Amino acid sequence: MSFYIAGTGSALPEKVVSNDDLAQFLDTSDEWIFTRTGIHRRHVLTHERLDELAIRSAQIALQDAGIGGEEVDLILCATMRGDTFTPSLACTVGEAVGSHAPSFDVNAACVGVLYCMEIADSFFVAGKAKTALIVSAEAMSKLVDWTDRSTCVLFGDGAGAMVVRAGEGRLAGELSTRPDSHVIRMPNIEGLNSPYNRIEQEKLAMYMDGGEVYKFAVNAMGSNIAEACAQAGLTPADIDWYLPHQANVRIIDASLRKFKIDKSKVLLNIAECGNMSATSVMVLLDEYAKKGTFHKGDKLLFVAFGGGLTSGAVIVTWQK
Ligand code: ACO
């Protein structure tokens, strides 16, 4: 016994920043950003806290599933950094929705939601959970260097959630890592004012070798799709909907090209949201679920890559 998706939710910051807005203070243009990535706009935190968005998305997902927080017996939150190191974002969400369930954050960069789905699967298989709340929230705008046009234009902020309940919806899950601490690096704030710490502080903002990430992403997503499909006894053509990490339209196209998939099966919202790290696939899921895109029995494949370097693919059947 594993799980099925019983409810979804999402919450985005109010402020929308267009490529033209960025061109006001960066040497860039809508033409460059859109043709290289497929991004036109992204949402950026201003007056909101990240945990407010996480809580709102969780409440919407619980309402969608028709349950209260007290029925949840596991909370997982995919994030690279919440508003506080402790309590974790998962605990903060649990407090707001009235749950005393075991709660913890998972950092697998952009693949975090897929890692959470696989951790939840283990709890369901072990009989340790009947209902889990998976949340994702990322404040990328607080992590990037806003003077670095090669990285800051790619990202956006947001939160999303799904309620998963005991059932037979999960068909396969494939997670992998190619450890590499140089290709994508986002240092923590360390040491603060410890009189004992003499280690020089790393440059705080994100560093990324875009070309190397691109090559890794195309290879990793391609092989994770093939492996997850093989695990489920399916071919890539049997999948009804692809929900890929929204990092770059060119990466998505290149990683799916060899499978000759009908492009109308590949769901996108990158033009409006940019790359929201782990949260991307969650917001994508909620957006298309609410549009009524999925029908009972449809096979959904989530696929993502990110810092670490991590990657993975999960296949579920839609049962709502
Ligand atoms: N506007 C205008 N010009 C720019 C910009 C910009 N925003 N950014 C870079 N350029 C310039 C570069 O300086 C370079 O100029 P030069 O030729 O004079 O040196 C030129 O544009 C070409 O740059 P490239 O890096 O070759 O551009 P490319 O076509 O490879 O696209 C991109 C760059 C979009 C970053 C691409 O490599 C990419 O998407 N990589 C993957 C990144 C990614 O998906 N990361 C997600 C994971 S991160 C995470 O997990 C948290």
Side-chain angles (χ1 to χ4, degrees), residues 73-280:
D73 37 31
L74 174 68
I75 301 180
L76 302 170
C77 185
T79 188
M80 286 194 288
R81 202 185 74 175
D83 293 313
T84 49
F85 288 121
T86 192
S88 66
L89 196 45
C91 286
T92 305
V93 169
E95 183 179 27
V97 302
S99 168
H100 289 202
S103 307
F104 56 97
D105 289 356
V106 174
N107 178 356
C110 308
V111 195
V113 167
L114 281 67
Y115 272 68
C116 288
M117 290 166 93
E118 288 300 278
I119 293 167
D121 172 56
S122 305
F123 274 71
F124 283 100
V125 169
K128 291 187 173 177
K130 290 196 171 70
T131 302
L133 175 61
I134 302 177
V135 182
S136 176
E138 299 278 28
M140 298 305 294
S141 64
K142 295 185 183 180
L143 302 176
V144 296
D145 175 358
W146 284 89
T147 63
D148 177 6
R149 65 178 184 174
S150 63
T151 53
C152 73
V153 304
L154 305 174
F155 296 99
D157 302 331
M162 66 167 93
V163 172
V164 295
R165 307 201 82 180
E168 303 295 349
R170 177 193 169 279
L171 300 181
E174 174 69 26
L175 301 177
S176 52
T177 306
R178 196 199 85 191
D180 188 321
S181 54
H182 301 290
V183 173
I184 305 174
R185 192 166 178 86
M186 233 182 268
N188 247 331
I189 300 164
E190 281 173 10
L192 291 178
N193 57 355
S194 163
Y196 303 104
N197 192 320
R198 299 268 177 247
I199 298 170
E200 205 182 313
Q201 177 70 63
E202 275 189 74
K203 185 174 173 280
L204 288 181
M206 172 181 192
Y207 166 80
M208 183 180 75
D209 180 339
E212 277 304 310
V213 176
Y214 196 105
K215 279 187 266 172
F216 165 73
V218 171
N219 288 330
M221 293 217 291
S223 51
N224 289 144
I225 291 169
E227 282 155 24
C229 285
Q231 225 183 78
L234 300 169
T235 68
D238 296 328
I239 301 298
D240 297 290
W241 304 106
Y242 281 82
L243 291 94
H245 175 43
Q246 307 285 298
N248 185 322
V249 167
R250 289 157 59 215
I251 291 177
I252 295 170
D253 286 348
S255 57
L256 293 175
R257 194 169 298 134
K258 66 178 171 194
F259 301 120
K260 299 188 168 49
I261 292 156
D262 177 355
K263 280 201 169 180
S264 63
K265 291 181 169 187
V266 182
L267 306 183
L268 299 171
N269 66 2
I270 185 171
E272 302 304 316
C273 297
N275 177 352
M276 296 180 286
S277 184
T279 302
S280 277

